[in-house]
Amino acid sequence: EKVRWQTQSDVSCFKQALADEHLGEALELYSGAFLQGLESDETNEFNTWLINERESLHTRWRETVLKYGEKAEAKDAAVWLQKLLEHDPLDEEAFQAYLSALAKAGQTREALQSYERFAKTLEHELGLEPTSVTEQLYRAIQSGAFEHSHVNITLTRVTEPERSLPKPSS
């Protein structure tokens, strides 16, 4: 009654590259929203699954970019971190990593200009200022105290708050 083919897809290759810790390969395989263009206004099980799958893949890609940013050469890291910021220009954790990568790559001018743009966007969009950690990083780069081999500023790692689901009523 049913036939199923096991085929290799970009998603399965992406997940396998992540499992094998081939970060650069995984980044190259991610091409944007899962099943982009397949949209529906209906609320049904398929759409719920699609939204969850898209979010899961995007989150894994984001985490991979951040991890790659810590391990890769600064110029390469900056390229991927910039792509991540194109998806979410207000992602401060990604921005801090991007700023660090630019500074490590010796691109101080670009780092300072990027900070100014980020601060203006944050103020305009959310009415907020950059966090103290981002501000410290900026000042270290601006003053020349940022060392290419070591940063004394601990970058923030945003973690999801623990959430408790309500217990079902009997």
Side-chain angles (χ1 to χ4, degrees):
E1 293 181 14
K2 294 180 183 181
V3 176
R4 180 177 176 195
W5 280 275
Q6 291 284 27
T7 60
Q8 198 169 27
S9 68
D10 57 345
V11 173
S12 65
C13 291
F14 172 72
K15 288 178 179 180
Q16 187 60 52
L18 289 178
D20 295 341
E21 290 285 319
H22 297 145
L23 303 181
E25 182 183 335
L27 293 177
E28 292 291 340
L29 287 166
Y30 185 83
S31 60
F34 178 63
L35 296 177
Q36 190 168 356
L38 184 62
E39 310 295 333
S40 173
D41 294 333
E42 293 181 37
T43 303
N44 58 36
E45 289 178 30
F46 175 76
N47 277 337
T48 301
W49 170 82
L50 182 59
I51 290 166
N52 289 336
E53 192 67 17
R54 283 179 178 164
E55 185 61 32
S56 173
L57 290 168
H58 179 77
T59 298
R60 291 180 76 183
W61 176 73
R62 179 188 179 275
E63 290 167 355
T64 303
V65 172
L66 291 173
K67 193 176 194 180
Y68 184 79
E70 293 172 357
K71 295 180 177 188
E73 200 167 312
K75 285 185 181 184
D76 291 336
V79 169
W80 283 104
L81 290 160
Q82 186 174 29
K83 289 179 184 184
L84 180 55
L85 288 167
E86 288 169 7
H87 284 271
D88 183 2
L90 300 176
D91 182 342
E92 198 153 1
E93 181 182 7
F95 181 71
Q96 291 170 359
Y98 177 64
L99 214 55
S100 293
L102 288 175
K104 287 177 186 175
Q107 297 177 358
T108 304
R109 183 181 181 104
E110 177 60 28
L112 298 174
Q113 290 172 346
S114 294
Y115 173 85
E116 296 297 332
R117 287 190 302 269
F118 179 78
K120 285 179 185 175
T121 302
L122 198 58
E123 171 64 34
H124 182 263
E125 296 290 324
L126 302 175
L128 298 173
E129 295 179 353
T131 63
S132 61
V133 173
T134 305
E135 182 67 30
Q136 283 180 301
L137 183 57
Y138 168 73
R139 279 189 257 126
I141 294 168
Q142 188 179 42
S143 69
F146 185 93
E147 298 175 25
H148 295 277
S149 61
H150 180 71
V151 181
N152 292 326
I153 299 167
T154 303
L155 300 181
T156 58
R157 288 301 268 170
V158 177
T159 57
E160 288 293 317
E162 287 190 32
R163 297 184 184 137
S164 316
L165 294 175
K167 296 191 190 276
S169 56
S170 314

